[in-house]
Amino acid sequence: QVQLVESGGGLVQPGGSLRLSCAASGSTLDYYSIGWFRQAPGKEREGVSCISSGDGMTYVADSVKGRFTISRDNARNTVYLQMNSLSPEDTAVYYCAAARLYVHGSMWTLPGIYDYWGQGTQVTVSS
């Protein structure tokens, strides 16, 4: 079993940057595909990005392509989400999640394939 803890959220002005961290304990993160999701008030949970287990293939939603980058530091057992050029539309609670399988294609966007979830970190983009 793996426990996930997100950090790095906060209040940032439009155009600013944040780096979210997803720290894992209880298991080696490299064995899992890790996804980042977000949920804004009144909206469904949305897949933002994912990094597959093993080969580290990455996926990113069209809405954040070119602005968000996912990466994994195996030594720190942590996955990061670098978010640049933030806009108010990016305001949401951001969650990381771990799947015990190799994620490929569009399956990464499906919340149901993930086995473990963190409690989320709030990101607010506002002037």
Side-chain angles (χ1 to χ4, degrees):
Q1 188 163 348
V2 62
Q3 293 79 43
L4 304 173
V5 178
E6 302 96 336
S7 62
L11 174 64
V12 63
Q13 291 186 342
S17 298
L18 284 175
R19 188 178 76 160
L20 304 184
S21 299
C22 174
S25 61
S27 185
T28 301
L29 209 54
D30 191 37
Y31 296 158
Y32 296 82
S33 296
I34 303 298
W36 281 99
F37 287 76
R38 66 185 182 186
Q39 189 164 19
K43 294 188 177 181
E44 292 187 355
R45 192 165 294 193
E46 172 193 19
V48 175
S49 189
C50 177
I51 185 164
S52 291
S53 58
D55 64 7
M57 180 74 73
T58 62
Y59 303 87
V60 63
D62 289 343
S63 58
V64 304
K65 193 167 291 183
R67 300 187 298 122
F68 291 13
T69 303
I70 191 170
S71 62
R72 184 172 63 208
D73 185 335
N74 291 335
R76 297 181 183 271
N77 219 28
T78 299
V79 169
Y80 301 100
L81 184 69
Q82 178 67 43
M83 307 186 298
N84 299 327
S85 301
L86 286 162
S87 72
E89 290 70 34
D90 297 314
T91 295
V93 178
Y94 284 71
Y95 301 88
C96 65
R100 292 176 296 185
L101 48 79
Y102 177 76
V103 172
H104 59 91
S106 62
M107 68 186 298
W108 71 272
T109 64
L110 303 174
I113 71 165
Y114 295 88
D115 303 286
Y116 307 103
W117 291 80
Q119 64 270 64
T121 185
Q122 175 71 47
V123 172
T124 303
V125 185
S126 175
S127 55

